[in-house]
Amino acid sequence: MTELSEALKILATSPVAKDREAIARIEKVAQADIHAIVQTLDNQSTLAEIGLFNSLEERRKLTTRFIVSAGLMCSGLSCLITIWFRPSLAITITPIGFITGAAASSFLLANEGRKNLG
């Protein structure tokens, strides 16, 4: 969008008659002067960047929640299994289960990201 607004500014200040005619036609079709058109383009570009930032932020939050939930699930499962076989080790095994679950989900997400890139 920035290149388009820069091109419109160059055409608007050009001494060539055909460039000025093109700008006049654009203003007529858009029913706005060239400065308002360029401002609208800049605003739309800013809004697009904000939308992209928000979606990335939401993706990070969802990824973090997924990793934590996988860690909690694995820690709970490992704690239950440990209580069944060796109850005295349940407190020790629970953090190991959490780390294992979180690492496994992180690894899966990283592999998914690599597949999407390549």
Side-chain angles (χ1 to χ4, degrees):
M1 291 264 197
T2 305
E3 295 88 15
L4 180 59
S5 63
E6 290 298 320
L8 288 174
K9 288 177 187 176
I10 291 169
L11 284 176
T13 58
S14 173
V16 178
K18 294 288 184 181
D19 292 344
R20 286 180 293 182
E21 289 174 14
I23 291 296
R25 286 195 305 268
I26 290 172
E27 290 175 336
K28 183 178 178 181
V29 170
Q31 296 178 350
D33 68 335
I34 194 65
H35 299 293
I37 295 170
V38 169
Q39 184 64 36
T40 302
L41 286 173
D42 288 340
N43 290 344
Q44 288 175 352
S45 175
T46 303
L47 287 175
E49 290 173 6
I50 289 171
L52 179 62
F53 177 74
N54 285 342
S55 66
L56 286 175
E57 190 66 32
E58 287 296 319
R59 175 116 172 124
R60 284 189 192 112
K61 286 180 184 177
L62 289 173
T63 302
T64 303
R65 288 179 187 160
F66 177 72
I67 290 170
V68 169
S69 64
L72 289 173
M73 184 190 71
C74 285
S75 69
L77 184 62
S78 63
C79 183
L80 287 174
I81 291 171
T82 305
I83 287 174
W84 185 268
F85 293 110
R86 294 220 176 181
S88 62
L89 295 177
I91 303 276
T92 308
I93 296 297
T94 303
I96 295 170
F98 179 80
I99 292 169
T100 304
S105 62
S106 297
F107 182 71
L108 289 174
L109 288 172
N111 280 339
E112 182 183 317
R114 285 187 200 120
K115 286 179 186 176
N116 291 338
L117 290 176

